[in-house]
Amino acid sequence: MKRQRNMFLAACVLLLALCIPPLTNDYIVQVGTEMAMYAALAGGWNLIGGLTGYPSFGNVAFFGLGAMLAGALSVNAHWPYWLAAIASVLGTGVFALLLGLPLLRLKGHYFSIATLALAQATLAVVTNTKFLGGGMGMSLPIVGSPGIFYYVMLSIAVLSALITYLLIHSEYGNTLLAIKSDEVAAQAVGINTVLAKSSAFALSGLLGAMAGVVYAIWQSYIDPPTVFEPSITVLMLVMTMMGGAGTVAGPILGAVLIGILTQLAMAVSQNASSLVLGLGIIAVVLFLPKGIMGSRRSGKGGKRRGKNTFPLRG
Amino acid sequence: MAILEVKGLGKDFGGLRVLDDISFSLAEGTVTGLIGPNGAGKSTLVNLIAGSDRPTRGEIYFFSRPLHKLPSWRIARLGLARTFQITRIFKDLTLRENVRLAAWTIGMRGQKLEAEVDRLLALTELADKAAVLSNDLTLPDQKRLQLARALALQPKLLLLDEVMAGLNPVELDKAILLLNRLRQQGITMLVIEHLMRVIMNISDRVIVLHQGQLIADGQPSEVVGLSQVQEAYLGSRYVKSKAAEMEVSGLGGMLNAGNQES
């Protein structure tokens, strides 16, 4: 059975990932943590960009807000970090839900541009709010060990993949795919498209905030320009596209591939890493418009877009 | 009892008046044909009733409930389903998933849901293609898929916007049979169709739109004989030149032939 084979593959990959900290060095664990973080972020982006067909260019807002809010609550309000983390994740989810309501009325490029503006506006607000650390950034207590953060990030990535899997195999996931195919027809069969889209956007925001919250305590120093860096959104997008938008494994595959490529390029030259990323984007658009998973599979979870559409149009 | 009541409905697209002062009501259990030349406003009328578009003026009532302010998904859940002239399907889903999603949104679950989907696929003769990705279906199959999906909403009123365009004669006969079966189940229908053979066959009543206005309303055989209807389709010069002849040829003759068949 195809499903059993996929389950077996997933279990193997997970087992391999679990073995990394005891068997390798701190450097590899650090790279692995970053890959797991991006797998989680790309998985979150996939829910709104891949499944629902609304290519967001502002998902970094959720990552950044999650990190800054958790930091502020713990440093400035003296909450225990676990409580600050939960509050920050939930708060960011509500933020995504509320902003999704107006933003998701826009379609295609208009939505993309509006979300780009959302990320920049959030950055501006956070930078100018004293409670959130302002432009100075903030230092968090140094806790844990590299291995711990690796495992926490990994579990967020697994959660992200699990949510995607459950969605794809549910009628709610079919609802999102229906919206992606044809929103007017989706409404005509009684789907409350506003609710469906906004909840997908909120889920996307929750996953972004989770990664942000862990990133903050992992790095122990955060400032707005770093956590609101637009290239984080671009990476989420490129990884998902490269792996296969709308698939479960796509974002993970993309995150691992881009992660490895970046590290290899860094070994050659510091500046070459962004060159590799750029070439990667061009290669994906030209040769793999449906992504690695998308090009191989047909039917559910794979064949997501029309034959001739540009990938970013979803 | 009137299942649908349209009062003084009007729609402007910018300065263009597409529909003006449309009023009519549909009796429960009847089949009404909606005809008119291209650009008459038929699809716009359907869009307004189904809530895909908002009227500029006027009101729409479904079982005495105002529709003109409800979002289209609420209207669909009330039991007013539609098909689209240019097919709108969920191309990322299989045929079966398309139909099942519609039945799911109105609250069906589990065994009952699957049984209902099976019944609809059998009714529309699509059962053997259930697992096909709907993007890969032929146009006639996509049209039948739209019908099956609309029926999955358990509609009391069905708006059919040219479901039969592009079908060959054999498929057409089957489609007419299917619509007659739906009528026997008591589903009220408003059918837009250019094929007069279909209209004459299944309609209890025909209303005619021309340049955004209702110009005729009545029995099918009466309506096609009206000179203003023939004028709308064939132009006033044609009607004048034929006025001398008692026997109406051309479209009228064709329509009468269609009438005799039923």
Side-chain angles (χ1 to χ4, degrees):
Chain A
M1 269 302 289
K2 204 175 160 191
R3 183 177 281 199
Q4 281 168 339
R5 197 200 63 194
N6 287 345
M7 286 292 180
F8 178 71
L9 270 176
C12 288
V13 171
L14 187 60
L15 204 65
L16 204 67
L18 287 173
C19 290
I20 285 180
L23 296 182
T24 58
N25 56 33
D26 275 2
Y27 166 71
I28 303 239
V29 170
Q30 166 121 356
V31 171
T33 312
E34 202 165 311
M35 277 185 198
M37 183 182 93
Y38 275 110
L41 287 173
W45 186 88
N46 190 28
L47 298 182
I48 189 72
L51 282 178
T52 321
Y54 275 76
S56 162
F57 273 68
N59 265 32
V60 73
F62 309 136
F63 175 77
L65 191 64
M68 295 307 287
L69 201 57
L73 286 174
S74 115
V75 173
N76 295 341
H78 310 290
W79 291 20
Y81 197 76
W82 63 270
L83 191 61
I86 292 172
S88 165
V89 167
L90 292 180
T92 309
V94 173
F95 173 77
L97 187 68
L98 291 180
L99 279 155
L101 293 173
L103 285 179
L104 290 157
R105 297 171 75 97
L106 303 167
K107 288 199 179 97
H109 304 103
Y110 299 99
F111 174 76
S112 301
I113 291 168
T115 46
L116 193 62
L118 163 75
Q120 290 307 303
T122 315
L123 166 63
V125 170
V126 169
T127 310
N128 289 293
T129 308
K130 212 167 180 189
F131 173 72
L132 291 173
M136 296 275 292
M138 56 193 133
S139 297
L140 289 124
I142 295 169
V143 290
S145 67
I148 300 268
F149 290 117
Y150 174 80
Y151 285 122
V152 175
M153 280 296 191
L154 187 65
S155 21
I156 298 173
V158 170
L159 179 70
S160 164
L162 196 67
I163 289 175
T164 315
Y165 178 84
L166 291 176
L167 276 188
I168 286 185
H169 293 89
S170 73
E171 288 297 331
Y172 174 64
N174 282 348
T175 302
L176 298 182
L177 288 171
I179 290 172
K180 178 176 179 171
S181 295
D182 196 318
E183 206 161 334
V184 174
Q187 287 175 351
V189 300
I191 293 170
N192 183 348
T193 49
V194 176
L195 184 70
K197 287 186 293 187
S198 305
S199 53
F201 200 48
L203 267 179
S204 186
L206 283 177
L207 284 168
M210 281 186 201
V213 158
V214 179
Y215 176 84
I217 190 88
W218 173 40
Q219 293 293 310
S220 79
Y221 173 78
I222 45 170
D223 67 336
T226 322
V227 291
F228 283 97
E229 172 59 47
S231 72
I232 298 177
T233 308
V234 175
L235 277 171
M236 292 185 214
L237 210 142
V238 172
M239 287 164 177
T240 312
M241 292 296 171
M242 183 183 257
T247 64
V248 178
I252 301 171
L253 196 63
V256 172
L257 277 180
I258 297 256
I260 292 174
L261 276 178
T262 312
Q263 290 304 318
L264 288 179
M266 290 267 237
V268 179
S269 142
Q270 282 285 330
N271 299 327
S273 69
S274 41
L275 183 69
V276 166
L277 181 63
L279 289 175
I281 296 172
I282 294 172
V284 167
V285 172
L286 281 182
F287 303 114
L288 290 169
K290 290 178 201 162
I292 296 165
M293 301 302 290
S295 63
R296 200 166 51 79
R297 290 163 62 170
S298 63
K300 199 152 184 174
K303 199 168 177 181
R304 280 290 160 257
R305 51 195 84 257
K307 290 176 190 80
N308 46 12
T309 44
F310 183 67
L312 298 189
R313 294 193 60 170
Chain B
M1 183 199 165
I3 183 166
L4 185 83
E5 220 178 336
V6 174
K7 286 183 191 166
L9 201 65
K11 176 72 184 172
D12 299 342
F13 288 133
L16 183 68
R17 186 151 288 189
V18 180
L19 287 175
D20 193 27
D21 199 22
I22 307 286
S23 297
F24 64 91
S25 65
L26 299 180
E28 201 166 350
T30 59
V31 176
T32 307
L34 173 59
I35 61 171
N38 287 330
K42 304 183 296 290
S43 290
T44 304
L45 181 57
V46 167
N47 284 343
L48 294 184
I49 296 172
S52 309
D53 211 340
R54 293 266 165 263
T56 316
R57 296 169 296 279
E59 291 153 359
I60 305 163
Y61 295 92
F62 181 56
F63 286 114
S64 311
R65 197 179 164 151
L67 285 191
H68 43 276
K69 288 195 181 110
L70 292 181
S72 61
W73 62 269
R74 289 278 305 276
I75 295 174
R77 287 191 194 181
L78 290 176
L80 199 164
R82 69 169 299 185
T83 65
F84 294 89
Q85 182 185 2
I86 297 160
T87 52
R88 287 176 175 272
I89 51 162
F90 306 135
K91 59 185 169 54
D92 292 329
L93 302 179
T94 64
L95 198 165
R96 191 187 174 84
E97 285 167 339
N98 264 266
V99 179
R100 189 171 59 203
L101 187 59
W104 184 80
T105 56
I106 58 158
M108 274 196 218
R109 298 290 184 272
Q111 282 293 311
K112 208 178 147 212
L113 174 67
E114 303 301 329
E116 176 65 9
V117 175
D118 285 336
R119 185 185 76 81
L120 289 169
L121 291 180
L123 183 71
T124 47
E125 296 178 7
L126 287 167
D128 52 331
K129 290 161 189 153
V132 177
L133 199 64
S134 60
N135 200 30
D136 299 338
L137 293 170
T138 60
L139 186 64
D141 284 342
Q142 292 189 357
K143 293 228 163 191
R144 276 190 285 172
L145 158 60
Q146 289 203 102
L147 185 59
R149 201 176 59 188
L151 290 171
L153 294 167
Q154 314 278 308
K156 296 178 190 79
L157 173 61
L158 197 52
L159 309 175
L160 301 176
D161 195 350
E162 294 198 28
V163 274
M164 301 189 201
L167 300 189
N168 68 35
V170 179
E171 290 165 340
L172 207 57
D173 284 335
K174 278 190 190 168
I176 292 173
L177 218 62
L178 176 60
L179 290 198
N180 273 319
R181 210 179 299 162
L182 296 178
R183 180 232 288 274
Q184 280 158 20
Q185 291 173 12
I187 300 175
T188 314
M189 284 183 264
L190 180 65
V191 185
I192 296 186
E193 201 50 79
H194 276 304
L195 299 161
M196 290 313 288
R197 190 173 138 219
V198 177
I199 290 288
M200 303 306 283
N201 234 310
I202 60 170
S203 314
D204 302 308
R205 172 187 168 202
V206 172
I207 53 181
V208 187
L209 262 184
H210 179 48
Q211 292 180 348
Q213 290 179 317
L214 274 187
I215 57 164
D217 182 347
Q219 299 273 320
S221 51
E222 283 167 28
V223 166
V224 295
L226 293 172
S227 62
Q228 64 263 44
V229 175
Q230 295 182 2
E231 239 177 78
Y233 270 97
L234 301 164
S236 55
R237 264 172 51 205
Y238 174 87
V239 176
K240 270 183 208 147
S241 72
K242 291 286 168 181
E245 305 170 27
M246 287 301 292
E247 198 66 15
V248 179
S249 58
L251 177 67
M254 196 178 82
L255 298 180
N256 287 335
N259 196 25
Q260 279 154 18
E261 261 175 43
S262 66

